[in-house]
Amino acid sequence: MNEIKEFRGKYFFLSNFFETPVTWQGITYQNNEAAFQSAKVINQKNRQSFASLNPSKAKSKGRHVQLRNDWEKIKDNIMYEICYCKFSQNEELKKKLIATGNALLVEGNTWGDKYWGVCNGTGKNKLGKILMRVREELKSTE
């Protein structure tokens, strides 16, 4: 089985830092990272403040919010919802994701994220697994 080992270069579109509008729970964000970071808070007005941020600013802002109490329980499902929105709302990206075929998608990184990705060969690769799930679900809608 072939493997995509990082979301850079021609596979950057798989990254949450890829700039493409995504509408999640009634707010349109400039990228997945902003949508995901906004989900750390419950208040809709506070979420809205993430909508126009680039991925780096959204990630930074997300580190300084008061986390909702259920965050650890729901963050995986929220990531799934936002990734599904990204690829189902953008036909070109949907086609590119499906075109990865049955490749193993691995969010390889050098910044130590062993939850969403893999660093130095170790990690849960939750984002990669979510993207493979979304890919399978979108294939069935073709």
Side-chain angles (χ1 to χ4, degrees):
M1 180 201 291
N2 62 345
E3 183 177 351
I4 294 168
K5 296 183 180 185
E6 59 182 15
F7 302 162
R8 295 191 186 147
K10 79 182 224 182
Y11 297 112
F12 183 59
F13 74 94
L14 295 168
S15 170
N16 282 339
F17 274 54
F18 183 79
E19 295 271 0
T20 190
V22 59
T23 302
W24 179 71
Q25 293 197 347
I27 299 173
T28 300
Y29 300 89
Q30 299 310 303
N31 53 76
N32 266 29
E33 189 66 24
F36 180 72
Q37 294 297 332
S38 82
K40 291 179 174 180
V41 298
I42 293 173
N43 180 294
Q44 196 75 350
K45 189 174 181 207
N46 290 347
R47 281 191 183 169
Q48 186 73 46
S49 70
F50 285 84
S52 62
L53 298 181
N54 71 37
S56 297
K57 285 195 170 120
K59 188 170 188 171
S60 176
K61 182 176 174 121
R63 287 190 177 118
H64 301 289
V65 298
Q66 175 72 48
L67 275 184
R68 54 191 292 168
N69 293 335
D70 59 353
W71 182 245
E72 289 304 315
K73 286 191 212 103
I74 65 167
K75 67 182 181 182
D76 290 18
N77 197 50
I78 286 176
M79 182 68 82
Y80 161 75
E81 287 178 13
I82 292 168
C83 287
Y84 190 88
C85 287
K86 172 183 175 178
F87 291 99
S88 63
Q89 293 168 9
N90 186 313
E91 195 61 32
E92 184 186 335
L93 292 182
K94 175 182 171 182
K95 286 178 179 157
K96 286 173 84 166
L97 177 62
I98 290 171
T100 63
N102 293 319
L104 179 64
L105 304 179
V106 179
E107 205 269 313
N109 66 78
T110 55
W111 50 89
D113 185 345
K114 294 180 181 178
Y115 186 81
W116 297 111
V118 173
C119 183
N120 297 323
T122 313
K124 294 182 177 181
N125 193 36
K126 294 277 192 169
L127 180 58
K129 291 173 182 170
I130 285 169
L131 291 174
M132 289 183 284
R133 176 182 166 195
V134 168
R135 178 178 65 196
E136 286 309 304
E137 290 174 3
L138 291 176
K139 277 182 191 175
S140 68
T141 67
E142 283 289 277

